[in-house]
Amino acid sequence: FLGPEQTILDEAHYIENSRSILNGEGDLRGEHPPLGKVFILAGMKIFGDNPLGWRFFPILFGVAGIVFFYLTCRRLNMGKWAAYLAVFFLAFENLTFMLSSIAMLDVFMLPLIMAAFWFYLRHNYLPAGLFIALTALVKITGVLILPAILLHWMIFRRDGDWKFLGLLIVA
């Protein structure tokens, strides 16, 4: 994560945008909500405007995504070894592996989506709704977890737990 020194792929856009926010010039690229760019900015504020600063929080979120994926697999009653295998495949899947080491917005979405689904599976609808909202503050496409959760609820739950509607309202 300390190299290369130059930006990779769309990092250039998000790092430059984070610099703009840091310098008080505002969000230059409004096509995405600001939360992911603020995470990049936080790393730059803590570690400086360098590869470690740009990539610290993406690495942290990449690891968090893998942890929440494991917790979700176990919550779905997968065996321990099946969950380990699934996590292994996710961790070393090319796109996940690459995105977890560069400053792009997608890496922030995965752990937030996984956390939302994990909280939903535990019937903790308020935190699930909050994580869906946070996901949408990174990239608006993050709200697409909502139809997936709704579909899961309609197929597997239908337990009359109408607190679930709170998730929809909060999200």
Side-chain angles (χ1 to χ4, degrees):
F1 66 87
L2 293 175
E5 288 290 322
Q6 71 274 11
T7 59
I8 302 168
L9 304 170
D10 284 350
E11 265 189 330
H13 304 296
Y14 302 124
I15 291 169
E16 190 58 39
N17 201 10
S18 296
R19 286 179 184 140
S20 171
I21 295 169
L22 186 61
N23 294 331
E25 299 167 13
D27 194 345
L28 299 175
R29 302 179 60 90
E31 69 269 16
H32 297 297
L35 186 58
K37 295 172 261 186
V38 170
F39 286 134
I40 296 168
L41 170 129
M44 292 166 63
K45 194 79 168 150
I46 295 168
F47 297 105
D49 191 353
N50 56 52
L52 175 61
W54 308 333
R55 298 175 182 143
F56 177 77
F57 282 104
I59 293 167
L60 201 61
F61 272 73
V63 171
I66 292 167
V67 170
F68 275 114
F69 183 66
Y70 173 78
L71 293 172
T72 300
C73 289
R74 294 295 289 153
R75 193 70 190 177
L76 290 170
N77 296 323
M78 288 179 71
K80 191 178 276 189
W81 286 104
Y84 288 155
L85 186 62
V87 166
F88 175 81
F89 285 137
L90 176 67
F92 292 103
E93 183 266 328
N94 198 27
L95 188 62
T96 304
F97 190 79
M98 183 197 70
L99 284 179
S100 295
S101 63
I102 60 177
M104 290 180 53
L105 302 182
D106 302 280
V107 70
F108 300 118
M109 280 183 32
L110 179 65
L112 295 173
I113 286 172
M114 284 284 134
F117 197 67
W118 181 67
F119 278 114
Y120 155 74
L121 290 173
R122 296 181 65 218
H123 297 260
N124 292 337
Y125 299 129
L126 180 63
L130 290 173
F131 274 98
I132 292 169
L134 289 172
T135 302
L137 288 173
V138 172
K139 281 182 103 169
I140 199 68
T141 54
V143 298
L144 294 177
I145 188 60
L146 203 51
I149 287 176
L150 186 59
L151 185 63
H152 183 274
W153 185 77
M154 290 170 57
I155 294 171
F156 294 105
R157 288 275 176 83
R158 304 180 85 194
D159 53 9
D161 188 359
W162 294 104
K163 293 178 190 174
F164 174 73
L165 293 177
L167 177 145
L168 301 174
I169 292 167
V170 170

